[in-house]
Amino acid sequence: MTDASMDILGYGAVTAVGLTAAQTCAAIRSGIKRFAPIEAQILDDDEPQIGARVSADPRLRADPSQWLLNLAGRALAECVGKPAAGAEPALLWLVPEDERGHPLSAGVGDSELLRRLELQLGVGFAPCSRVLRSGAAGCVEALGIARELLDAGAVTGDVGCVIGGADSLLRDADLRELARGNRLLGPKQSQGLVPGEGAAFVRVGRAGANPGEDSRERVGVRGIGLGYERATVRGTEYSVGEAFTSALETASQDADIPEGEIAFIAGNFNGERYDAWEHTHALLRGYRTARERLPVLWPSSSVGEIGVAGGVLALIVAAAAIEGEYAAGTTAAVQVRSDAELRGVVILR
């Protein structure tokens, strides 16, 4: 019988509130924010635009492609460390969606992107590595791919698969597009997002297949569900949570866990009107069991909207909360949406 679960073996992150995953999780838990005026002059407004920047020498930002490679390399190094000789994890790398025209990934082939990251990190990845361009919810899609690779023996359980990405919504081109859609938080839009930047990677595998000295109980991915939303953020209609409801049902069935056992939710919620509308409907439709409360972890309230890295960061924050025993319970649903149609739910336990 195929093992449907995967252990979380490690993670790494770089955000505006922490240069490691541990620092970021501690800052988020403490409610620390790093929102500050940024130099962008894209809005016809007297008020400065607010953003969440990673602390770095400005010279590192001169090339937007290299900046994302730097962020990814740092988070990856924390996530995978220095692999043993011959131990090449599979990398499932989330890059900015093609329609954004980011110089890192627009018009660049997948093999070249992987080669650039290998050179940046000085570590090789397994031949089955892939690049995903489906937005933040691509991390849920990637978890399904990782499970297939583990089941097929393409990577061993102790080496596993690394999933994640780096992104910045602080480029002028991205800020202008967000402003055109009236999506930025500001004096004229109280239900907008705060653009940020960061990187987040998580390594999943099956440690039980190769027991070693570390026999601690790990948080694991128990269920995965995907949905496809007709009413996307760039469309003319508001979503009523149908795709998320479907994804939650699929993930719960995959995990063989009743919806009522979910103790808290995490996700790449970003505070904008569309996002709030969609998730409110998804909560009402999907979580039907009577509860006194259903807490929500919301990393972007500290780090801003970090694009394709946002879903992986939500996964890390939820896993760290369970591991640290400060979560509301031991079972979480991580809900992730892309700007396009993809929606995903992951059950952690």
Side-chain angles (χ1 to χ4, degrees):
M1 181 178 176
T2 299
D3 184 0
S5 65
M6 294 180 287
D7 297 316
I8 293 179
L9 304 178
Y11 35 71
V14 178
T15 69
V17 296
L19 299 182
T20 67
Q23 290 171 355
T24 294
C25 290
I28 291 171
R29 185 185 181 194
S30 301
I32 294 173
K33 295 176 172 59
R34 197 166 185 274
F35 298 165
I38 56 177
E39 63 273 15
Q41 299 295 325
I42 61 162
L43 301 178
D44 296 327
D45 205 305
D46 293 334
E47 295 291 330
Q49 176 59 45
I50 301 298
R53 284 201 184 282
V54 172
S55 298
D57 188 311
R59 289 173 293 184
L60 294 176
R61 304 178 185 278
D63 182 334
S65 298
Q66 189 59 44
W67 175 234
L68 291 195
L69 287 172
N70 289 342
L71 288 173
R74 180 160 187 155
L76 267 169
E78 181 190 1
C79 181
V80 303
K82 191 67 176 177
E88 294 184 337
L91 175 65
L92 303 172
W93 186 16
L94 311 176
V95 299
E97 304 95 314
D98 287 340
E99 58 267 25
R100 286 174 53 196
H102 196 287
L104 171 72
S105 51
V108 182
D110 293 357
S111 59
E112 174 61 17
L113 280 168
L114 291 166
R115 186 189 71 83
R116 290 179 186 178
L117 194 54
E118 286 181 329
L119 289 173
Q120 177 73 27
L121 192 61
V123 170
F125 295 104
C128 55
S129 297
R130 304 185 196 180
V131 172
L132 288 85
R133 304 171 187 259
S134 49
C139 68
V140 185
E141 181 183 16
L143 285 167
I145 295 170
R147 187 161 66 183
E148 292 173 359
L149 293 173
L150 289 164
D151 290 345
V155 288
T156 61
D158 57 333
V159 174
C161 300
V162 179
I163 296 165
D167 205 349
S168 174
L169 293 181
L170 299 176
R171 284 192 317 141
D172 281 351
D174 288 309
L175 290 170
R176 288 193 189 96
E177 183 61 28
L178 291 168
R180 274 194 292 269
N182 195 29
R183 299 178 61 188
L184 291 171
L185 179 68
K188 298 178 181 177
Q189 176 54 279
S190 60
Q191 292 179 305
L193 62 85
V194 174
E197 59 188 4
F201 289 84
V202 62
R203 183 164 69 96
V204 296
R206 292 183 180 135
N210 296 280
E213 295 181 3
D214 184 6
S215 59
R216 66 189 175 92
E217 188 175 5
R218 297 178 182 272
V219 176
V221 174
R222 307 304 182 205
I224 302 165
L226 290 173
Y228 298 88
E229 180 56 56
R230 175 183 57 82
T232 67
V233 70
R234 294 190 178 96
T236 57
E237 299 178 6
Y238 281 106
S239 164
V240 291
E242 292 177 349
F244 266 130
T245 305
S246 173
L248 173 63
E249 182 178 356
T250 300
S252 299
Q253 291 174 351
D254 189 36
D256 195 22
I257 291 173
E259 164 269 316
E261 292 188 18
I262 294 170
F264 69 100
I265 299 170
N268 66 332
F269 321 110
N270 64 17
E272 65 176 314
R273 180 186 300 150
Y274 177 94
D275 178 71
W277 180 279
E278 182 173 15
H279 280 292
T280 298
H281 278 281
L283 282 169
L284 294 172
R285 288 169 175 261
Y287 298 92
R288 306 299 294 272
T289 302
R291 295 170 169 86
E292 289 188 7
R293 64 192 186 108
L294 185 58
V296 176
L297 289 179
W298 187 356
S300 73
S301 65
S302 289
V303 305
E305 168 61 83
I306 58 174
V308 299
V312 183
L313 183 62
L315 194 73
I316 291 170
V317 170
I322 296 172
E323 287 178 351
E325 299 183 348
Y326 57 85
T330 59
T331 304
V334 181
Q335 300 183 178
V336 191
R337 72 172 178 91
S338 297
D339 271 2
E341 63 182 9
L342 190 62
R343 304 289 184 270
V345 175
V346 181
I347 304 295
L348 296 182
R349 191 166 194 166

